[in-house]
Amino acid sequence: MTEPLIFELSIPGRKGVRLPELDVPESELPADLLRDDLPLPEVSEVDVVRHYLRLSQLNYAVDKGIYPLGSCTMKYNPKINEVAARLPGFVGIHPLQDELTVQGALYLMYHLQEQLKAISGFDAISLQPAAGAHGELTGVLIMRKYHLDRGETQRDTMLIPDSAHGTNPASTSMSGLRVVEIPSDARGNVDLEAMKAYMNERLIGIMITNPNTLGLFDENLEAICQMVHEAGGLVYGDGANMNALMGIMRPAEIGIDVMHFNLHKTFSTPHGGGGPGSGPVGVVAKLADFLPAPIVVKEVDAEEEAEEEAPLYTFYDPPKSIGRVKSFWGHFSVMIKAYTYIRMLGDEGVRRAAEYAVLNANYLLSRIRDVYPLPYDRICKHEFVVEGRFEDAPGVRALDIAKRLIDYGVHPPTNYFPLIVHEALMIEPTETESKQEVDRYADILLKIAEEAKTDPDLLHEAPHNAPVRRLDEVYAARQKILRYRRDQQ
Ligand SMILES: *Cc1c(COP(=O)(O)O)cnc(C)c1O
């Protein structure tokens, strides 16, 4: 980077603000709160503006172009979501306020629960979990408590297909349960034969991602649910991929018992970079009493009697609740954005978003499938996985292709995941990209495949024109430098 960072622009005495006239008595700053080891830059307003604008331009974002990072559903987030989340009536309230004074916020939470029920078919929803993986942990704890409540304390085994997201085994282990990996069959479905050995009194259930991380709808899903139920187990649905299904299929109707949503993926909230997410959990009726407390309910009596003192919407603690999983009421700003998104789309729009997500993925696949090897040759859902390697360019790997995409000013797909595909490139264009943008991405991928044969070093040395060149990824992960350090330039 050649442009100076804000700390390097500091000139003693330079200022960017003018403070108003002092209208309170002057007093000394408490000496023990002043830090000598915190040298703040002294800069002008224009220095600050240019610093942040430059920083923002070093990043890639979905507001800049297509971001087909498989599994992450990086759809464009409509700006009206932000407008709603910034309404003074929402940002100005406090979680400790009396329920009667925040009925608007509770109304929104209640109706978001109702929207998610309608989309998924579940009987009850908790909005508390902070993100997808947190929703998984919540769901697994609910499954565990359900069995314990029935006195089936010997149940300790969770089945997890090898096409699952890495968070699934992690959530299960954190719940103190045993993970058994189930292989996929030649069509990319869960191998039913391999499941049979575990259909016994130790079974907690199965965690199944559908569509799975290959972007494929499991053709045996109903049979899997039936098999697990017959053995007394429960079926956990990883709902992170609801973008392919919303408005089309309700997971509860096919036999899923508990599922988390990723509001920040499916229902369009900016994510990545550690921003707030939200991972609500939906359950069928027999699990409703175990949901984390509290959930929002509507007091029907209050409506009928129209008493001004009684709140219409109120918090409710399910009787056998696993307890709290989050302080206060969850990530409310994300709930506002998801609610706004669903209301703006309406019933028909929600369905159409899923249809276009699937159409875009299949269209992109059709454009590149003769060049990029396709290990599971099926119609995909909202994403697909190809191999990033070519027979006639043996030295080129998926990583080289991903880095070369950066040179063309677009975001690479997810790579080396799922683990069951060699040199995996997992591509999810999402519904918000136009045919022209999807075509542009396909053209770039095809051009890179050509380059791989004619000039492989171009790929090996990519990226050439990004703010940073290729990193030593292991070193970068071990030696993180996450803030400016004056002495380590
Ligand atoms: C993203 C994702 C998760 C985890 O969600 P987070 O919000 O990142 O915790 C779980 N499963 C699948 C299939 C995902 O794509």
Side-chain angles (χ1 to χ4, degrees):
M1 248 182 305
T2 52
E3 289 159 340
L5 284 162
I6 198 159
F7 295 89
E8 293 148 8
L9 292 171
S10 181
I11 301 287
R14 189 167 285 174
K15 274 192 202 142
V17 289
R18 190 161 20 163
L19 296 174
E21 288 293 314
L22 187 68
D23 60 354
V24 291
E26 196 170 334
S27 71
E28 285 290 308
L29 287 168
D32 54 338
L33 294 182
L34 296 175
R35 289 170 52 185
D36 286 332
D37 62 342
L38 190 68
L40 293 173
E42 296 179 72
V43 288
S44 65
E45 179 177 316
V46 65
D47 292 334
V48 175
V49 169
R50 287 182 183 161
H51 169 74
Y52 282 109
L53 191 69
R54 274 182 205 140
L55 277 189
S56 75
Q57 289 170 341
L58 295 178
N59 264 340
Y60 191 82
V62 74
D63 284 353
K64 231 171 169 180
I66 185 170
Y67 204 137
L69 196 61
S71 202
C72 298
T73 312
M74 304 300 283
K75 63 172 74 178
Y76 170 74
N77 306 295
K79 297 296 170 248
I80 187 142
N81 297 353
E82 302 297 326
V83 174
R86 281 168 176 69
L87 287 174
F90 287 137
V91 288
I93 56 177
H94 192 279
L96 291 179
Q97 256 175 262
D98 186 274
E99 275 178 18
L100 264 175
T101 66
V102 289
Q103 285 293 300
L106 268 67
Y107 171 98
L108 184 137
M109 292 172 76
Y110 176 81
H111 286 280
L112 177 58
Q113 289 171 190
E114 292 300 305
Q115 290 167 343
L116 296 177
K117 280 191 210 169
I119 287 169
S120 63
F122 288 111
D123 297 301
I125 303 270
S126 164
L127 298 174
Q128 268 197 29
H134 193 204
E136 290 172 30
L137 177 66
T138 304
V140 174
L141 289 174
I142 290 172
M143 292 165 80
R144 185 168 161 264
K145 189 147 187 194
Y146 167 81
H147 291 304
L148 290 177
D149 186 59
R150 291 157 54 90
E152 304 199 5
T153 53
Q154 80 290 350
R155 292 193 185 263
D156 67 348
T157 303
M158 185 76 88
L159 308 185
I160 301 186
D162 61 2
S163 63
H165 198 262
T167 47
N168 290 191
S171 307
T172 301
S173 298
M174 278 187 76
S175 311
L177 302 174
R178 184 168 79 114
V179 175
V180 172
E181 186 177 288
I182 302 293
S184 302
D185 66 16
R187 287 184 59 75
N189 297 319
V190 174
D191 188 336
L192 288 178
E193 278 307 309
M195 279 178 63
K196 284 192 179 145
Y198 301 98
M199 294 302 117
N200 55 40
E201 72 294 339
R202 284 186 67 183
L203 183 69
I204 286 268
I206 187 169
M207 284 185 97
I208 190 154
T209 307
N210 189 63
N212 65 20
T213 56
L214 295 165
L216 302 175
F217 192 101
D218 199 299
E219 295 162 309
N220 305 319
L221 188 57
E222 279 181 285
I224 292 168
C225 295
Q226 202 180 349
M227 211 164 134
V228 169
H229 287 153
E230 276 166 15
L234 295 169
V235 181
Y236 185 95
D238 179 329
N241 292 341
M242 275 301 284
N243 212 45
L245 305 180
M246 58 177 180
I248 299 170
M249 186 207 110
R250 293 191 186 89
E253 288 175 2
I254 214 164
I256 309 275
D257 299 300
V258 43
M259 186 187 91
H260 79 267
F261 301 81
N262 281 61
L263 294 192
H264 46 294
K265 292 178 182 171
T266 316
F267 301 107
S268 91
T269 288
H271 59 293
S278 182
V281 169
V283 293
V284 293
K286 68 179 174 188
L287 299 177
D289 284 350
F290 300 96
L291 280 175
I295 55 177
V296 181
V297 293
K298 190 172 173 182
E299 300 277 12
V300 185
D301 290 350
E303 195 176 27
E304 280 173 1
E305 292 167 20
E307 278 181 37
E308 293 211 354
E309 295 308 306
L312 187 51
Y313 298 97
T314 184
F315 289 115
Y316 162 78
D317 286 0
K320 297 176 183 173
S321 172
I322 59 164
R324 272 189 169 276
V325 296
K326 185 81 180 80
S327 57
F328 295 113
W329 325 117
H331 288 165
F332 183 58
S333 71
V334 182
M335 297 172 204
I336 302 171
K337 293 175 198 182
Y339 174 84
T340 307
Y341 178 75
I342 296 169
R343 285 295 302 271
M344 290 299 294
L345 285 181
D347 293 353
E348 205 186 309
V350 163
R351 183 187 175 103
R352 205 176 312 142
E355 288 170 348
Y356 285 166
V358 173
L359 183 62
N360 270 356
N362 279 286
Y363 177 64
L364 181 54
L365 175 59
S366 76
R367 289 240 17 227
I368 66 166
R369 55 172 296 151
D370 292 340
V371 174
Y372 286 82
L374 177 65
Y376 298 93
D377 186 0
R378 284 172 50 186
I379 299 277
C380 67
K381 286 289 167 287
H382 63 309
E383 63 191 0
F384 60 88
V385 182
V386 291
E387 294 177 6
R389 57 172 178 173
F390 314 105
E391 259 171 34
D392 36 5
V396 167
R397 309 178 57 213
L399 185 68
D400 302 318
I401 297 165
K403 298 295 181 193
R404 184 65 183 145
L405 278 159
I406 297 172
D407 283 336
Y408 286 98
V410 292
H411 202 283
T414 297
N415 44 68
Y416 299 99
F417 178 77
L419 303 174
I420 51 177
V421 173
H422 290 294
E423 300 294 325
L425 289 175
M426 182 191 207
I427 310 183
E428 180 181 9
T430 83
E431 73 279 10
T432 54
E433 298 310 319
S434 64
K435 176 171 182 294
Q436 290 71 28
E437 190 71 359
V438 176
D439 271 328
R440 194 167 76 87
Y441 203 77
D443 291 342
I444 295 170
L445 281 169
L446 295 175
K447 178 118 190 284
I448 291 174
E450 253 339 285
E451 290 173 349
K453 289 153 211 167
T454 55
D455 191 359
D457 282 344
L458 198 57
L459 274 69
H460 293 141
E461 285 157 24
H464 299 268
N465 54 18
V468 283
R469 299 291 302 270
R470 195 177 295 205
L471 298 173
D472 178 334
E473 295 191 354
V474 176
Y475 184 76
R478 295 266 175 266
Q479 298 288 120
K480 290 193 195 74
I481 301 175
L482 300 177
R483 62 183 172 85
Y484 178 78
R485 293 189 207 161
R486 188 186 292 265
D487 47 345
Q488 286 190 13
Q489 280 302 290

